[in-house]
Amino acid sequence: MYQFTKNLLKKIVPQKFLFENELFFRKFLIPFYSGKNYQCNICEKQWKKFVDYPGDLLCPYCGSRSRTRRLFKILKEKNALRGNVLHFSPSRSLYRVYKKEKNFDYFATDFEAEFLADYKIDITAIDFPDEKFDTILCYHILEHIIEDEKAMAELFRVLKKDGLCFVQTPYKAGEIYEDYSITDEKEREKAFGQWDHVRVYSLEGLKKRLEKAGFQVNILNFEENMKPFGLLKETVLELKKQTLVNN
């Protein structure tokens, strides 16, 4: 029912209007999911269950995904939301919360006009000075970027010396697979898992590229599901600037 309703609304309601009024439309789902077995840590509402979505669990009200709720939890635990925060293609659930925050300056950006955002920033040419940001959120972005090493260099440049950058992409075993000669949408979906992806990273391959850009990479593995909060197994990369030790 959820997927059918979502597809129907996308066909008859303009995307911008749908995004801006998403919470109103989602209120109609509440009677089907009301309960106290589970809780979304972003909107803090309780549910009988989360919405089953292919490979994911969605909050019926704010629409948050498992990875979004996990990121929200990580940022809170690490006290990472401070100073200037740069967020690429933010989920709507996080945008709505962070946009209202007064304790940090939130820079939400979307290059393709597909998300709620206030800036349009090219990740391969970030139009901000060096060491501008205390925290950078780069979730499911790099697999879309042909010049990913250039993007990584830009992330390094604009991150403060004591800042944190959180990166996540889809992963595969083995080596990174990329082939820029594949431009057909159906062929890209077949090769990379999604029509607008240009590669599939391996975890070790992505780590090496980020280290080449100058980052110290900490792999955060979450190997157990946290059922009450709809948190699934996943891996997140926490990046800091490498500290050079003078001998």
Side-chain angles (χ1 to χ4, degrees), residues 151-165:
M152 293 172 190
E154 280 291 275
L155 293 175
F156 184 86
R157 180 183 66 80
V158 299
L159 184 67
K160 289 185 179 180
K161 289 179 181 177
D162 61 346
L164 292 174
C165 178

Side-chain angles (χ1 to χ4, degrees), residues 20 22-23 29 36 58 118 152 162 167 179 227 245:
E20 291 175 346
E22 179 182 11
L23 297 184
L29 290 173
K36 294 188 177 181
L58 306 186
D118 306 299
M152 293 172 190
D162 61 346
V167 169
D179 184 347
K227 189 175 179 182
V245 179

Side-chain angles (χ1 to χ4, degrees), residues 173-185:
E175 302 295 325
I176 295 174
Y177 176 55
E178 53 195 349
D179 184 347
Y180 305 141
S181 69
I182 302 175
T183 57
D184 179 77
E185 292 182 0

Side-chain angles (χ1 to χ4, degrees), residues 3-247:
Q3 190 65 36
F4 172 80
T5 305
K6 178 181 176 181
N7 291 336
L8 178 63
L9 286 173
K10 287 173 70 175
K11 289 179 181 179
I12 62 177
V13 180
Q15 177 175 277
K16 188 172 185 296
F17 182 84
L18 186 60
F19 284 179
E20 291 175 346
N21 296 277
E22 179 182 11
L23 297 184
F24 169 78
F25 289 109
R26 286 187 173 276
K27 286 180 180 179
F28 294 98
L29 290 173
I30 291 177
F32 299 98
Y33 293 92
S34 291
K36 294 188 177 181
N37 297 330
Y38 302 90
Q39 184 174 26
C40 173
N41 62 339
I42 297 178
C43 67
E44 299 184 344
K45 296 188 181 299
Q46 293 182 314
W47 305 110
K48 176 175 63 177
K49 60 180 180 178
F50 284 97
V51 178
D52 284 318
Y53 198 71
D56 210 342
L57 296 171
L58 306 186
C59 173
Y61 181 68
C62 72
S64 64
R65 305 179 66 162
S66 170
R67 71 189 190 211
T68 312
R69 295 187 293 274
R70 176 79 70 181
L71 176 60
F72 185 81
K73 185 174 186 292
I74 292 171
L75 295 174
K76 216 169 186 181
E77 291 174 346
K78 291 182 175 290
N79 194 29
L81 295 171
R82 53 188 173 80
N84 296 322
V85 177
L86 177 61
H87 196 173
F88 289 92
S89 300
S91 65
R92 295 186 295 279
S93 55
L94 291 186
Y95 176 86
R96 287 189 292 263
V97 172
Y98 293 159
K99 180 68 175 172
K100 297 176 182 178
E101 278 286 347
K102 304 298 182 184
N103 296 322
F104 57 88
D105 293 319
Y106 184 55
F107 297 77
T109 172
D110 174 33
F111 195 68
E112 300 292 343
E114 295 178 351
F115 296 80
L116 294 178
D118 306 299
Y119 295 85
K120 183 178 180 179
I121 298 172
D122 180 352
I123 195 172
T124 65
I126 300 174
D127 191 20
F128 282 101
D130 296 356
E131 299 189 7
K132 168 73 174 178
F133 296 101
D134 298 88
T135 304
I136 300 175
L137 310 179
C138 185
Y139 260 45
H140 292 260
I141 303 297
L142 293 175
E143 67 271 21
H144 297 262
I145 309 299
I146 290 178
E147 296 181 296
D148 66 330
E149 292 185 82
K150 190 174 179 181
M152 293 172 190
E154 280 291 275
L155 293 175
F156 184 86
R157 180 183 66 80
V158 299
L159 184 67
K160 289 185 179 180
K161 289 179 181 177
D162 61 346
L164 292 174
C165 178
F166 295 91
V167 169
Q168 189 183 67
T169 75
Y171 304 112
K172 64 180 282 293
E175 302 295 325
I176 295 174
Y177 176 55
E178 53 195 349
D179 184 347
Y180 305 141
S181 69
I182 302 175
T183 57
D184 179 77
E185 292 182 0
K186 289 184 178 179
E187 289 301 313
R188 277 186 171 177
E189 185 171 3
K190 182 179 178 181
F192 310 122
Q194 193 166 307
W195 69 268
D196 55 351
H197 288 188
V198 297
R199 75 177 57 77
V200 184
Y201 289 103
S202 66
L203 181 57
E204 187 60 28
L206 177 56
K207 179 175 179 287
K208 286 180 179 178
R209 285 194 184 179
L210 290 165
E211 289 174 338
K212 182 181 175 183
F215 287 110
Q216 174 186 324
V217 180
N218 181 26
I219 299 175
L220 306 177
N221 279 318
F222 302 97
E223 298 180 351
E224 294 184 5
N225 295 340
M226 293 182 66
K227 189 175 179 182
F229 302 102
L231 300 178
L232 303 177
K233 300 176 184 179
E234 62 178 317
T235 299
V236 179
L237 301 186
E238 177 189 37
L239 314 181
K240 299 178 181 179
K241 287 192 170 182
Q242 292 180 4
T243 302
L244 298 178
V245 179
N246 295 321
N247 294 323

